[in-house]
Amino acid sequence: MKKNKPIHKKNKKPKSSQSLGKAPGTVVYIGEKEHLETKIEIQDYTKDAHNISETDNIEDVFTFKGNDRVTWINVNGLNHTKEIINIGEFYGLHPLILEDIVNTDQRPKIDEYENYIFLVLKMMYFNKEKEFIVEHISIVLGKDHVITFQESDEDIFDPVRIRITNAKSRIRNSGAGYLAYSLLDAIFDNYFVVIDDLGDKVEQLEEELFNEKEGDHITQEIQSLKREILRIRRSILPLREVIGRIVKSDTTLILEKNKDYYRDLYDHIIHIQENIDVYREMIWGLMDMYMTTISNKMNGIMKVLTIIATIFIPLTFIAGIYGMNFEHMPELKYRYGYHALVSIMIIIFIGLLIFFRKKKWL
């Protein structure tokens, strides 16, 4: 069986110190992807028409506001903060919102404003190299637009893009609130994929432990899984409150008929959290299982050594007595003394083996 690989690649810690001493609302990118170019994808549609365009010019975004169409603006790359600020100013986003957009350490949250709703989430997926990625993503829901800000150009929104191209799809006929739901649903669906992969790794480790396979990699993998489940849990746990607030919100940005879809998301996140808690307990138990396995092996070794020592105690006693160099000692000159003692030792040896066998110690 092949060894488990860590579920995530090792990245350097975010440079949180860059924001120390800054005034609230200062837009400072905190992350590791500092050399990416900002790319913008624009999906603009109505019931009867659909346009898609890609650009690296921020000014192209400013032509899509207030045109009685639903517009999805997907901004890839957070390291160019000036461009993020320009978009925020055009759409009237609060400076604190802009700060959270580029702060990859920000925990999942929701902020409601008069003209928009702001969401922060962690998007989890496996990239083309099958590496596990946790990406910071922000969603701004307006009356007729949805703006997503993500760290790189890889994401899990292709199913949403395909549905937008279908004129008969619900997404083309349900407004911006449903578009935001569709993006959230795609993110949540990938949570299930990640949790299933984690479950497979836990079950594989359990199988190795039950089969008593030796190897130092097991303890390393258990510790790696502990870190991963805590990382995933921190990213997903706050979402229950986030989705709950959307469901209970009186905002007009989400039509009442679309609230049922958000309630379904709430059920999904409860299901995901239950699975996380189950695997968390299983991972915590893996180390106990490993220590128990090691202890059982040690007990087996000690039992064998104890039996061997017990067998040789009477033999050593007999050999010790007749190995003493006293001149006047019985049976020393007996012709068959050697054969008699060896026979007695063999009888004792066989007798002890039979005794241990009956006691099921062997």
Side-chain angles (χ1 to χ4, degrees):
M1 184 176 294
K2 63 181 182 180
K3 298 181 180 180
N4 289 326
K5 293 183 178 180
I7 197 171
H8 75 293
K9 63 180 182 179
K10 296 180 180 178
N11 292 323
K12 296 180 180 179
K13 294 182 179 179
K15 300 178 181 179
S16 305
S17 59
Q18 294 180 358
S19 62
L20 293 177
K22 303 289 185 180
T26 302
V27 182
V28 178
Y29 173 63
I30 299 176
E32 296 299 325
K33 300 176 182 179
E34 299 178 347
H35 304 292
L36 295 178
E37 295 182 0
T38 300
K39 297 180 180 180
I40 301 173
E41 174 192 0
I42 302 173
Q43 301 265 1
D44 189 56
Y45 62 87
T46 63
K47 294 181 180 179
D48 305 316
H50 169 244
N51 295 312
I52 180 173
S53 60
E54 294 183 0
T55 181
D56 55 5
N57 186 2
I58 294 297
E59 294 182 357
D60 293 340
V61 177
F62 303 156
T63 62
F64 289 92
K65 184 178 180 182
N67 55 3
D68 296 326
R69 303 162 71 92
V70 176
T71 305
W72 172 24
I73 301 172
N74 186 34
V75 181
N76 297 310
L78 305 179
N79 51 313
H80 297 286
T81 56
K82 290 183 179 180
E83 297 174 346
I84 303 296
I85 293 173
N86 289 337
I87 294 175
E89 290 177 349
F90 181 78
Y91 282 94
L93 303 182
H94 196 281
L96 292 176
I97 296 296
L98 301 178
E99 180 183 7
D100 290 339
I101 288 175
V102 297
N103 182 6
T104 59
D105 286 341
Q106 177 62 52
R107 70 189 294 272
K109 58 176 285 190
I110 177 174
D111 289 328
E112 295 185 59
Y113 291 82
E114 183 178 357
N115 298 321
Y116 60 89
I117 296 176
F118 175 68
L119 300 169
V120 175
L121 302 93
K122 302 299 179 181
M123 183 166 56
M124 304 179 187
Y125 60 91
F126 294 94
N127 64 8
K128 297 177 181 178
E129 289 74 28
K130 304 302 180 181
E131 296 173 323
F132 179 69
I133 304 298
V134 178
E135 184 178 333
H136 180 77
I137 182 170
S138 304
I139 300 176
V140 177
L141 169 62
K143 180 181 179 181
D144 56 1
H145 62 272
V146 174
I147 309 175
T148 53
F149 299 88
Q150 57 187 66
E151 290 185 80
S152 64
D153 55 358
E154 271 194 270
D155 57 37
I156 40 82
F157 295 141
D158 285 343
V160 178
R161 295 183 178 97
I162 294 173
R163 288 160 57 193
I164 291 177
T165 61
N166 183 3
K168 296 181 180 179
S169 64
R170 184 179 290 111
I171 200 170
R172 288 278 291 273
N173 296 273
S174 301
Y178 187 84
L179 172 60
Y181 155 76
S182 300
L183 298 175
L184 291 173
D185 186 55
I187 294 173
F188 282 28
D189 285 345
N190 272 268
Y191 288 161
F192 283 106
V193 175
V194 170
I195 298 303
D196 289 342
D197 181 81
L198 181 68
D200 292 340
K201 294 184 186 303
V202 173
E203 292 174 2
Q204 182 177 333
L205 272 180
E206 277 188 334
E207 184 177 347
E208 290 186 15
L209 290 175
F210 277 123
N211 293 334
E212 297 184 350
K213 292 188 177 181
E214 298 181 358
D216 295 335
H217 72 280
I218 291 182
T219 55
Q220 297 175 358
E221 290 174 5
I222 292 175
Q223 292 300 326
S224 176
L225 285 176
K226 280 186 176 182
R227 290 192 296 269
E228 294 309 325
I229 194 67
L230 289 175
R231 184 185 183 195
I232 294 172
R233 191 170 183 267
R234 283 197 300 267
S235 299
I236 294 179
L237 189 62
L239 291 178
R240 186 169 183 173
E241 177 186 355
V242 170
I243 303 301
R245 284 185 56 184
I246 294 178
V247 171
K248 298 176 182 179
S249 175
D250 296 329
T251 180
T252 58
L253 298 175
I254 301 176
L255 301 178
E256 191 61 34
K257 66 178 183 179
N258 292 332
K259 287 288 185 70
D260 290 337
Y261 296 106
Y262 285 91
R263 293 187 184 96
D264 184 62
L265 281 182
Y266 188 79
D267 294 337
H268 286 346
I269 201 62
I270 292 177
H271 186 191
I272 292 170
Q273 289 182 2
E274 289 175 349
N275 288 342
I276 290 175
D277 291 338
V278 169
Y279 289 128
R280 179 170 176 262
E281 293 299 325
M282 291 176 66
I283 292 172
W284 254 247
L286 283 177
M287 185 58 74
D288 294 336
M289 186 185 303
Y290 177 74
M291 297 305 298
T292 301
T293 302
I294 297 299
S295 178
N296 289 338
K297 289 182 179 180
M298 183 61 67
N299 289 339
I301 294 172
M302 294 303 298
K303 182 173 69 173
V304 172
L305 294 177
T306 302
I307 290 174
I308 293 174
T310 303
I311 290 174
F312 276 91
I313 285 175
L315 306 183
T316 304
F317 175 74
I318 294 174
I321 290 177
Y322 285 93
M324 293 185 294
N325 296 320
F326 292 111
E327 181 177 357
H328 303 286
M329 191 171 180
E331 292 91 23
L332 285 180
K333 300 185 181 297
Y334 180 56
R335 181 177 181 180
Y336 300 104
Y338 170 77
H339 301 86
L341 284 179
V342 170
S343 299
I344 292 173
M345 289 181 179
I346 293 174
I347 292 171
I348 292 174
F349 176 76
I350 295 175
L352 288 174
L353 288 179
I354 295 173
F355 175 76
F356 292 144
R357 194 73 174 178
K358 287 185 177 180
K359 290 291 187 179
K360 297 182 179 181
W361 295 347
L362 284 176

